[in-house]
Amino acid sequence: MKILTAAEMRETDRLTIERGMTSATLPSATQPSNALMENAGRAVASFVQRQHGAWSCVTVLCGKGNNGGDGCVAARLLAEHGWVVTLLLLCQPDSLAGDAATMFTRFREDAPYAKLVIADNEAALDGEEAGEAFASAELFLDAVLGTGFKPPLRGVAVAVREKLATLKTPVIAVDLPSGWDADSMEQSSPDAFRASAVVTFTAPKLAHVFGHLTSPDAAGAVVVAPIGSPEDTIRSATRVVWSGSSKAVAEAPRPINSNKGKFGHALLIGGAWGKAGAPSMAALAALRAGAGLVTAAVPLSIVNTVARVAPELMIHPLDETPRDGARGGSVSRANLNPTNLDAMLKKITVLAIGPGLSTEPEAAEFARGIVQRTKLPIVLDADALNAFEGRAHELNGSGRTMVLTPHPGEMARLTGLTVKEVEADRVGLARSFATEHHLTLVLKGWRTLVAHPDGTIAVNTTGNPSMAKGGSGDILTGIIAAMLAQFPHQVADAVNAAVYLHGLAADFAVRDQEEHTVLATDTVAHLWRAFRARVNDEDGLTWICGLASAR
């Protein structure tokens, strides 16, 4: 799914109106622009009824633009379905124009029992009628400002924002929380209205995927509703897409005549004395994520520990460096011997190296050596990335599949930058590194980015703070390896889906327990829920954020 700028969204709407619509134009809205607005309001009303059907009193906050027109449609439809509706209009009716004016007139004609309150200034907002509209609401619809908004927030909208901030009543934002710049790539927007959920239309905008649009204590639903724009009118030059679209690769049923050989053999290389947990978790995740076979190649001294993670796991013991107190016991350079290497890599589909590998010189030498000596698809994580500190020029994925999964600290070491510099332009840095080195880069963090060799950036919108614990990266490495093993010819989709599934499993884990207590392995236990979940629900909504099945 493409991510649009505000200007690209306006162009999509223009082309849709110009060409007509793919979905049937509603009988009561004969003009394409009317139909777009009608469909948008209908989508909002449908979402409200499905998610909050037990509530009956809604106050719809409407501005004078098209966003307010969407709100008028939703208000009319909710009133028709028996909701007690108050439409709080933040302008004089005669200032409405175009489709918004048309939909306001229809609201007045078709919802005679709904209440209209006009509050176009702060004094009116403090009046008795407006006060009752706020006090009686069991739900608010925020249809004040949408994609066309440019900061700062002004006038009566500021006062409305402050009133909403004092209440705990849920707020569903129409298109965007009012006051949020659609082109913003910031995590937060202090000027914006609070929101419990967001319903946007046609395609997500930059703010929908980069921002945390909903209140910290809210379920966090951000959904995209199709409203009739033909697919070829949805055009974007950002080369930014949503990672969740790639989950489709994991949703097709396996052939009835499946066997383990059809789903690849993943080899996980890592571990050192005292670091058995990391390769164990990576291997367990690879097993759970569907690889046909999984082997863990680890130093001999930790073989018995790693083998206990699952009876399905195969083990390949590696030569290790001599132990001297707390040092040693890491992967030896002797494992690069052609005979040893051939035995280890025989019949392997994809290899992943790094979890628990250690930064000891021989382990680092081994990591660099295996990258040079094989053209197998490879995933580099953790200490395998650290092995290339100051040597990033040796990483070249041309003619092969190479995936790097750095967190900001590892990315800083790879590039010679500071973490602050890495975080300052995550999209630009990830894109340039991936294209220059011809590889796929998974830059972890808030909104993990998957940068592909062609310059495309997939933004991931799953995951939560419970993942800020040791082992999360190892789990991700295992899932990526498993997905590449199963879909070796769909590298972009495989990696995008792996990142999405990992975060979604953590979202399910948090739903079942408190985020402080979630372990990295708890995400593995919830992977089945992530695989079973669907990003598109029965109403045609695409869930960018939030758990559709938790409604």
Side-chain angles (χ1 to χ4, degrees):
M1 178 177 276
K2 298 171 186 173
I3 312 300
L4 307 185
T5 64
E8 289 168 342
M9 188 69 251
R10 286 193 293 272
E11 179 65 7
T12 295
D13 287 344
R14 187 191 69 78
L15 290 172
T16 299
I17 294 166
E18 182 180 278
R19 295 186 187 183
M21 299 173 61
T22 56
S23 61
T25 301
L26 299 168
S28 57
T30 57
Q31 299 300 314
S33 58
N34 289 167
L36 276 177
M37 190 169 285
E38 182 77 16
N39 286 350
R42 191 171 293 273
V44 173
S46 175
F47 181 83
V48 168
Q49 291 178 90
R50 195 180 76 179
Q51 299 295 115
H52 304 288
W55 298 343
S56 60
C57 295
V58 59
T59 292
V60 184
L61 308 167
C62 289
K64 68 178 182 179
N66 286 340
N67 197 242
D70 297 339
C72 289
V73 174
R76 186 190 83 233
L77 295 172
L78 289 172
E80 290 175 358
H81 283 85
W83 284 61
V84 177
V85 174
T86 299
L87 193 149
L88 184 63
L89 187 64
L90 303 182
C91 63
Q92 289 296 321
D94 59 9
S95 68
L96 296 170
D99 297 321
T102 299
M103 294 309 181
F104 176 74
T105 299
R106 288 199 61 204
F107 163 77
R108 295 295 284 156
E109 292 173 348
D110 297 349
Y113 299 109
K115 186 175 182 180
L116 172 66
V117 177
I118 298 173
D120 61 341
N121 57 65
E122 290 190 41
L125 197 65
D126 289 333
E128 184 177 343
E129 283 192 315
E132 176 61 21
F134 279 92
S136 64
E138 296 175 287
L139 179 71
F140 287 99
L141 288 191
D142 166 17
V144 179
L145 297 163
T147 296
F149 166 79
K150 288 297 178 186
L153 201 65
R154 298 182 179 89
V156 70
V158 175
V160 173
R161 181 194 65 198
E162 297 308 311
K163 281 185 175 292
L164 288 178
T166 66
L167 303 173
K168 295 184 178 180
T169 312
V171 180
I172 295 179
V174 178
D175 193 21
L176 276 165
S178 292
W180 206 304
D181 184 348
D183 290 337
S184 172
M185 296 170 68
E186 297 299 319
Q187 180 179 342
S188 61
S189 177
D191 287 341
F193 287 20
R194 68 175 181 85
S196 310
V198 180
V199 182
T200 191
F201 315 109
T202 305
K205 273 59 77 181
L206 290 168
H208 291 115
V209 295
F210 285 103
H212 186 45
L213 302 185
T214 57
S215 305
D217 58 345
V222 178
V223 301
V224 180
I227 58 173
S229 293
E231 186 61 34
D232 66 350
T233 66
I234 306 172
R235 303 170 181 174
S236 178
T238 64
R239 293 183 296 165
V240 178
V241 299
W242 177 54
S243 66
S245 298
S246 292
K247 185 180 176 292
V249 301
E251 294 180 356
R254 288 182 166 184
I256 196 68
N257 64 338
S258 292
N259 62 71
K260 62 189 177 186
K262 291 185 176 182
F263 305 114
H265 188 165
L267 174 67
L268 283 302
I269 306 174
W273 175 251
K275 294 185 175 182
S280 298
M281 289 185 283
L284 180 64
L287 286 167
R288 284 290 183 191
L293 294 166
V294 179
T295 295
V298 297
L300 181 61
S301 60
I302 63 171
V303 159
N304 290 339
T305 303
V306 176
R308 293 191 185 100
V309 73
E312 296 87 352
L313 178 64
M314 296 182 288
I315 296 292
H316 185 97
L318 297 175
D319 291 337
E320 62 184 61
T321 59
R323 290 204 302 277
D324 180 15
R327 297 187 62 80
S330 62
V331 177
S332 166
R333 66 168 66 91
N335 294 290
L336 292 174
N337 176 288
T339 301
N340 294 347
L341 202 59
D342 288 347
M344 180 169 52
L345 300 181
K346 186 177 181 180
K347 297 184 178 180
I348 296 300
T349 309
V350 59
L351 66 94
I353 178 171
L357 188 68
S358 88
T359 56
E360 293 204 9
E362 284 203 36
E365 183 181 340
F366 171 80
R368 294 190 295 269
I370 200 167
V371 170
Q372 296 167 355
R373 288 167 169 76
T374 178
K375 289 296 184 180
L376 281 172
I378 190 168
V379 183
L380 301 179
D381 181 38
D383 288 331
L385 294 171
N386 293 328
F388 287 90
E389 182 175 359
R391 310 174 69 144
H393 61 278
E394 297 178 20
L395 294 168
N396 188 339
S398 182
R400 67 181 301 181
T401 296
M402 181 179 288
V403 181
L404 276 56
T405 63
H407 57 56
E410 291 161 344
M411 192 67 194
R413 288 190 283 275
L414 274 177
T415 56
L417 301 172
T418 65
V419 171
K420 186 176 181 179
E421 289 171 327
V422 169
E423 295 285 67
D425 182 16
R426 287 163 50 82
V427 170
L429 177 62
R431 177 176 280 148
S432 63
F433 194 94
T435 55
E436 290 170 13
H437 294 267
H438 311 287
L439 49 76
T440 299
L441 182 80
V442 180
L443 182 55
K444 293 181 282 196
W446 166 256
R447 295 317 191 218
T448 290
L449 304 177
V450 186
H452 297 287
D454 66 355
T456 301
I457 297 279
V459 184
N460 188 58
T461 53
T462 58
N464 58 74
S466 76
M467 302 170 77
K469 289 183 179 175
S472 288
D474 307 314
I475 299 296
L476 177 59
T477 296
I479 299 173
I480 292 174
M483 295 301 287
L484 287 172
Q486 295 167 84
F487 308 103
H489 304 300
Q490 297 171 266
V491 174
D493 281 335
V495 180
N496 292 350
V499 175
Y500 182 85
L501 286 163
H502 182 220
L504 188 59
D507 289 341
F508 276 111
V510 164
R511 188 190 69 171
D512 292 347
Q513 57 180 294
E514 211 280 333
E515 67 180 21
H516 292 83
T517 68
V518 173
L519 302 178
T521 47
D522 290 332
T523 62
V524 179
H526 284 81
L527 265 176
W528 71 272
R529 296 184 188 276
F531 272 88
R532 180 173 288 181
R534 295 293 180 263
V535 297
N536 296 309
D537 67 20
E538 62 269 27
D539 290 338
L541 300 178
T542 300
W543 287 66
I544 298 295
C545 298
L547 301 176
S549 60
R551 59 182 179 275

